[in-house]
Amino acid sequence: AFRRGCLMIDVAEELYRADQDCLRSHQVFSVRRDPQHIVEDFLAHWEDKKEAYIRRRLNVGFENEVARGPGVVREFFQKVMEGFLQDDRFFEFKPQLRTYWPPPDADVEFSRQGYRAIGVLMGKALGVEQVLFPACFPTLLYDRLLHFLGSPLAKPELGLEDLSQIEDAVANGLREVLEYADDDIGEKYEDLGWERAGLDSCELSQATKERFVSTIVRWMLVDRCQVALEELGKGFELSA
């Protein structure tokens, strides 16, 4: 057991040295510090990169600074994510919940590259560099990434508890619909925007209310930001 432990340490140290030699052989990826330019530099750097390159450890530094190493890498990830979060084309801030979620009206053509790059950023941070982001995203986003990867840990169905992570007031309103027991339910809740999820030709009743609620939940959490979630998942899968 002692010899096995020593061998494991030797292997770990050898892998570390090989990793450091590999990093030193890579050209330093230099970025500007301010939020706008660091996002531009990140997008330009990762555009059209092959999967093998994306999976490499980062050798990154800030422009006109000589510092390198794990601390610089952690700061780099945090600064790039801050830049993306400040751009409302990518994420909408929910002030009451202190969290971010892709906006429903994201510019699809513009956002594909950006969301995939964010997925790469998250995959490299969590899977390769082992950097934790601040709690800026709901747990729902990580569940959707697991779902994209086909993980059995992902939820098979989304519900009101998931919706409450980004739209608490809407979730409470839909919960009220489910709890309402009178026959005039269709008249009482006809103005909740059911047509947004393609339910305008259906009649809300006690028999259909669960289907109405589950449909609007899926529309709000998946369908209206489908491109963003798919591109995040593709980028995450490339680098994780």
Side-chain angles (χ1 to χ4, degrees):
F2 175 76
R3 177 168 173 73
R4 182 177 59 185
C6 291
L7 286 172
M8 290 176 65
I9 293 173
D10 290 342
V11 170
E13 289 180 346
E14 191 61 35
L15 288 173
Y16 177 81
R17 282 194 292 270
D19 192 36
Q20 293 304 302
D21 290 341
C22 183
L23 279 176
R24 281 191 289 270
S25 68
H26 293 171
Q27 184 178 1
V28 176
F29 166 33
S30 182
V31 294
R32 292 166 287 182
R33 270 187 174 275
D34 62 283
Q36 178 183 351
H37 288 122
I38 199 171
V39 167
E40 291 177 1
D41 294 343
F42 179 77
L43 291 175
H45 182 77
W46 292 108
E47 187 175 11
D48 299 326
K49 289 292 189 296
K50 296 185 181 299
E51 184 174 344
Y53 183 90
I54 291 174
R55 289 181 181 274
R56 289 178 180 176
R57 296 290 300 274
L58 274 176
N59 191 13
V60 66
F62 292 103
E63 190 175 66
N64 300 322
E65 298 181 25
V66 297
R68 301 287 184 271
V72 176
V73 171
R74 284 193 294 271
E75 186 178 7
F76 163 77
F77 279 112
Q78 292 166 356
K79 291 288 185 184
V80 176
M81 185 55 74
E82 285 176 13
F84 277 118
L85 292 177
Q86 291 176 22
D87 190 333
D88 57 11
R89 294 173 297 180
F90 291 109
F91 292 105
E92 180 182 11
F93 181 58
K94 308 290 184 178
Q96 291 185 330
L97 300 170
R98 308 292 299 175
T99 192
Y100 291 84
W101 191 252
D105 54 352
D107 185 330
V108 173
E109 294 306 317
F110 165 81
S111 61
R112 281 187 187 276
Q113 179 200 11
Y115 282 121
R116 188 171 299 195
I118 296 168
V120 167
L121 183 74
M122 295 179 71
K124 288 188 72 65
L126 299 175
V128 180
E129 307 290 349
Q130 297 183 337
V131 175
L132 294 179
F133 290 123
C136 53
F137 296 118
T139 57
L140 172 64
L141 180 61
Y142 299 100
D143 178 82
R144 292 296 85 195
L145 291 174
L146 289 174
H147 175 79
F148 186 89
L149 296 176
S151 171
L153 298 176
K155 290 185 176 181
E157 298 290 339
L158 298 176
L160 292 177
E161 68 277 8
D162 302 299
L163 181 61
S164 66
Q165 294 182 35
I166 62 166
E167 296 287 357
D168 191 43
V170 176
N172 288 335
L174 294 175
R175 196 171 285 112
E176 183 180 313
V177 172
L178 291 178
E179 294 171 353
Y180 193 77
D182 293 343
D183 292 335
D184 64 343
I185 186 172
E187 297 177 6
K188 184 173 179 65
Y189 298 105
E190 64 180 352
D191 296 328
L192 287 187
W194 305 108
E195 69 281 355
R196 297 173 296 173
L199 292 167
D200 47 321
S201 61
C202 305
E203 181 180 353
L204 176 62
S205 66
Q206 291 297 333
T208 63
K209 66 182 183 182
E210 289 189 6
R211 179 168 68 88
F212 266 62
V213 169
S214 63
T215 300
I216 201 82
V217 166
R218 177 170 179 80
W219 175 79
M220 296 196 74
L221 296 181
V222 179
D223 296 345
R224 69 174 182 168
C225 50
Q226 185 172 4
V227 170
L229 294 177
E230 286 182 354
E231 295 302 324
L232 282 169
K234 290 175 182 177
F236 190 83
E237 185 177 35
L238 276 175
S239 60

